[in-house]
Amino acid sequence: MEVSILVPMYWRAVREALRVSVATIVVPLVLPLFMLTIFAQLFSSITSIPGFGQSNAYVSYVAPAAILMGAMLGSPTTGISSAMELQTGFLSRIQMSSLSMFTNLQVRRLADATRLAAFGLMLTAIAWIAGAEIKDWPLALVAGMAFAAAWGVAYGGLTLSVCLRTANIETAQALVPLFFPILFMSTAMVPLKMMPTWLQDIARYNPVSYICDALRSAQMGSLDLAATEKAIVGILTVAAITQVLIWLAERKLARD
Amino acid sequence: MTAVRTVSATRESQSASEQPLPVEAMRLTKTYAGNVKAAKDISLHAGVGEVVGVVGPNGAGKSTTLKMLATLLRPTSGSARICGIPTTETAKVRPLIGVALQDVGLDPLMTGCEHFQVQAAINGFRFAQVEARAAELVDQFSLGSYVKRYVGAYSGGTQRRLALALALLTDPKVIIFDEPSAGLDPRARQDLLGIVKALKESGRTIVFSTQYLEEADALCDRIYLIDGGVIVANGSPDSLKRKVADPTLQLALDHPSDDHRIDAALAGLPVDVVDRNGNALSLKVDESKVKPTQVLLALDGRGIAIKGFRLAPPSLDDVFFHFTQRSLQPEPLEKPHMDLGTRTHRGGGKRWK
């Protein structure tokens, strides 16, 4: 396979995302914006509850949650595009090329990662406008972009695998609400100590908890290496699981 | 000198016979989940410069067969080769073939122009290398006014024309078209016939499927009639027709003749009256027992004046009926599922649903 194929395929995916920008950019950002501007203000007094243990404004606390929410809501694009390609037969055209299915999907996911990284950048800036404290801008932006892209792509693999199996766009839409329990069963909204015990157990195994901790520490200017390490392990684990699901879906596709 | 020429000719013919066939399928079978056999023991071949038609009704197994030849579907059993290379060696086979499937395989969010660019890239070319060819195909398929619009805004016929043009972008040796004329208007279908003929003249091998018998008759060197996933007959259109049915002698009589005189003239002759209507008379003639001229003389002998006559060969529909006991009527194809409104690259219109 020639590497020269990858560049046009990457730009094709980027171009497509821009052409349906309402679906791929505007809609995924609506809820995070709501969270930073309305939700964070509405629950601003939560920080004064004993046990919260954070002296900053609540918007600073939930800024990482907004970034990850944007990443999760923006992650189904590769799955939706693949379902459409299966429906229209475009995937057969790709199959006829020297580009393997695996590479084709990874190129699309790379285009997704670019967009989600841009989400990370935008939401960090919006969080600051909404009142969040950013002590180290370069670190906050790099961490926001990297974690948004990495988590979004790893998590989006679930939608992709389902779309490859069903060739159905609606299944991708059906999976969208999944972001809700994942986010709320982590330390994205409140610290661990404020959760019921059973939820604390779940939050401890939820990679989103560690990604939020790492992002918060980056915004405060001192990266929590232990949390970052756990966040990376969590993302890699989810990426590995979803990649196996994608691989199984690809095999089914090739068999059929 | 003659001896030298003879030896040389023999060598040429040997070397030609040693060349692998462009398309060769041996007992291809495809069984889908639920033990649904879409194709059973399909064997076919196409020589250099041959146009071969796979003809049958919807659901007969045409697309499955063509997808297996195009490396897009793994056969459950059997094998196929393109230019001598097994279709399992996809990386070697795919550059040799141009494919346009029944699903047009176009991206509604890309313009026609971008499709040419991506098609070049996925075939391992820089667009600059095939730009002239792309321009030629845009002209040939009358796509000039569409190439800058989103494909989602094309009509079904225009989408199919673009899909065919893309299949030809890299001048493949073997061309596989699945229902190429489906969705085309009569003029575009006529243009397509011209394009296929030109491709044949340039030495390309073409395998295509169709439900249109007149199309197969006009284009194909050989036809494989397929029904229920099985090839029921194959041969040149003429040989198939000869195999299954007698020609029809169509007569234009000078005056409407009474039935008694006609019956009396034909008594004892191995002919069947197919139709009689005023001045027109159609007879099925068993050519192995009687010549059409004998029939004409017999009618003349009874004073039935004949203004003109024509010996009409049987149609491919007669052939299909002979083998399957049913007629092959093409069914209209649905427009591809990519109607995204009337958006153009300049924006506006509907978005993803």
Side-chain angles (χ1 to χ4, degrees), chain B residues 9-25:
Chain B
T10 310
R11 275 188 188 152
E12 267 177 29
S13 115
Q14 269 180 345
S15 121
S17 66
E18 280 163 15
Q19 269 188 351
L21 284 165
V23 179
E24 198 177 7

Side-chain angles (χ1 to χ4, degrees), chain A residues 180-203:
Chain A
F180 220 66
I182 290 175
L183 215 55
F184 275 83
M185 289 198 283
S186 74
T187 57
M189 303 298 175
V190 290
L192 206 60
K193 286 175 197 165
M194 289 185 72
M195 294 180 182
T197 320
W198 65 272
L199 212 50
Q200 284 183 22
D201 293 337
I202 295 172

Side-chain angles (χ1 to χ4, degrees), chain B residues 110-334:
Chain B
M110 280 163 61
T111 65
C113 208
E114 286 161 359
H115 270 90
F116 279 107
Q117 288 163 1
V118 166
Q119 189 68 31
I122 61 179
N123 280 298
F125 290 90
R126 286 195 311 279
F127 185 61
Q129 290 175 281
V130 291
E131 200 170 357
R133 174 73 177 145
E136 195 182 309
L137 289 165
V138 165
D139 273 351
Q140 201 172 8
F141 285 87
S142 309
L143 292 165
S145 53
Y146 300 96
V147 283
K148 289 187 177 173
R149 292 188 198 168
Y150 285 167
V151 164
Y154 290 14
S155 69
T158 309
Q159 285 177 3
R160 191 157 294 278
R161 292 208 308 274
L162 176 61
L164 295 174
L166 292 172
L168 302 175
L169 182 65
T170 52
D171 270 331
K173 283 185 178 178
V174 175
I175 294 156
I176 296 172
F177 284 161
D178 191 7
E179 304 264 6
S181 58
L184 297 184
D185 59 39
R187 190 181 163 184
R189 280 179 68 193
Q190 208 56 42
D191 291 345
L192 177 73
L193 297 190
I195 289 163
V196 173
K197 280 177 185 162
L199 287 168
K200 175 184 160 65
E201 278 161 20
S202 68
R204 301 287 182 274
T205 301
I206 301 166
V207 180
F208 78 100
S209 68
T210 185
Q211 299 178 51
Y212 297 107
L213 291 164
E214 69 277 18
E215 197 172 275
D217 210 355
L219 287 175
C220 294
D221 297 306
R222 260 169 332 101
I223 287 172
Y224 289 86
L225 288 179
I226 186 168
D227 191 38
V230 178
I231 289 177
V232 292
N234 76 84
S236 69
D238 286 341
S239 74
L240 282 173
K241 290 173 199 167
R242 274 199 305 272
K243 219 184 269 184
V244 303
D246 298 316
T248 307
L249 183 60
Q250 294 173 338
L251 300 160
L253 307 177
D254 228 356
H255 305 288
S257 189
D258 65 79
D259 292 351
H260 290 298
R261 280 170 71 193
I262 291 173
D263 290 342
L266 299 177
L269 289 173
V271 295
D272 290 325
V273 177
V274 177
D275 188 31
R276 52 178 115 196
N277 186 8
N279 289 26
L281 176 66
S282 293
L283 305 169
K284 253 321 178 211
V285 181
D286 184 347
E287 275 194 303
S288 63
K289 293 178 183 160
V290 64
K291 289 197 168 114
T293 45
Q294 287 176 271
V295 179
L296 296 175
L297 286 170
L299 291 167
D300 192 48
R302 289 280 174 173
I304 300 167
I306 296 163
K307 199 159 62 177
F309 70 91
R310 189 173 89 90
L311 199 59
S315 70
L316 276 179
D317 202 29
D318 294 329
V319 176
F320 191 81
F321 185 82
H322 175 86
F323 285 106
T324 64
Q325 300 306 306
R326 60 201 177 97
S327 180
L328 180 54
Q329 292 297 327
E331 292 171 31
L333 267 162
E334 284 177 23

Side-chain angles (χ1 to χ4, degrees), chain A:
Chain A
M1 186 203 63
E2 286 189 34
V3 179
S4 59
I5 303 177
L6 303 179
V7 178
M9 295 311 282
Y10 169 81
W11 282 114
R12 166 183 169 258
V14 171
R15 208 166 45 214
E16 279 196 2
L18 292 173
R19 281 176 187 169
V20 285
S21 53
V22 172
T24 61
I25 297 171
V26 177
V27 170
L29 289 177
V30 170
L31 270 182
L33 280 173
F34 172 82
M35 176 175 260
L36 291 170
T37 54
I38 311 292
F39 181 87
Q41 306 304 322
L42 198 64
F43 292 94
S44 59
S45 57
I46 196 172
T47 52
S48 58
I49 294 175
F52 194 88
Q54 303 278 326
S55 55
N56 296 322
Y58 187 54
V59 68
S60 295
Y61 189 83
V62 292
I67 291 171
L68 294 186
M69 187 190 278
M72 284 195 272
L73 287 170
S75 68
T77 307
T78 296
I80 290 174
S81 303
S82 300
M84 278 186 75
E85 284 179 354
L86 279 166
Q87 283 177 3
T88 61
F90 191 83
L91 215 60
S92 299
R93 189 175 294 284
I94 301 287
Q95 272 180 281
M96 288 299 298
S97 74
S98 53
L99 198 67
S100 69
M101 172 83 97
F102 174 81
T103 314
N104 173 47
L105 292 176
Q106 299 314 316
V107 169
R108 270 206 171 277
R109 296 177 93 189
L110 186 65
D112 264 6
T114 312
R115 185 171 45 85
L116 298 178
F119 280 13
L121 186 136
M122 282 190 272
L123 288 168
T124 306
I126 293 165
W128 176 72
I129 294 166
E133 193 175 1
I134 308 285
K135 284 187 177 165
D136 186 337
W137 271 100
L139 186 61
L141 289 179
V142 168
M145 290 166 73
F147 278 119
W151 174 245
V153 169
Y155 172 78
L158 178 66
T159 314
L160 175 58
S161 67
V162 173
C163 283
L164 286 177
R165 277 185 177 272
T166 61
N168 189 346
I169 294 166
E170 278 74 25
T171 52
Q173 288 163 342
L175 287 174
V176 168
L178 196 61
F179 84 93
F180 220 66
I182 290 175
L183 215 55
F184 275 83
M185 289 198 283
S186 74
T187 57
M189 303 298 175
V190 290
L192 206 60
K193 286 175 197 165
M194 289 185 72
M195 294 180 182
T197 320
W198 65 272
L199 212 50
Q200 284 183 22
D201 293 337
I202 295 172
R204 278 198 191 94
Y205 289 99
N206 188 343
V208 169
S209 297
Y210 300 104
I211 302 171
C212 286
D213 291 346
L215 279 171
R216 267 182 220 113
S217 66
Q219 287 168 0
M220 290 301 119
S222 60
L223 194 63
D224 180 344
L225 290 176
T228 306
E229 205 174 287
K230 284 178 184 168
I232 291 169
V233 170
I235 290 170
L236 289 177
T237 307
V238 171
I241 293 167
T242 53
Q243 188 54 52
V244 169
L245 295 174
I246 292 167
W247 179 71
L248 290 172
E250 277 180 46
R251 274 188 51 169
K252 180 181 177 285
L253 206 60
R255 212 173 38 241
D256 294 347

Side-chain angles (χ1 to χ4, degrees), chain B residues 1-70:
Chain B
M1 185 67 187
T2 313
V4 172
R5 197 177 289 161
T6 309
V7 170
S8 155
T10 310
R11 275 188 188 152
E12 267 177 29
S13 115
Q14 269 180 345
S15 121
S17 66
E18 280 163 15
Q19 269 188 351
L21 284 165
V23 179
E24 198 177 7
M26 287 144 287
R27 307 197 67 181
L28 283 179
T29 297
K30 181 67 190 177
T31 310
Y32 289 113
N35 203 26
V36 178
K37 284 205 168 176
K40 292 170 226 162
D41 286 333
I42 302 278
S43 294
L44 59 82
H45 68 272
V48 176
E50 259 196 317
V51 178
V52 168
V54 179
V55 182
N58 273 352
K62 305 187 296 289
S63 296
T64 300
T65 303
L66 263 53
K67 277 185 178 172
M68 287 192 281
L69 292 177

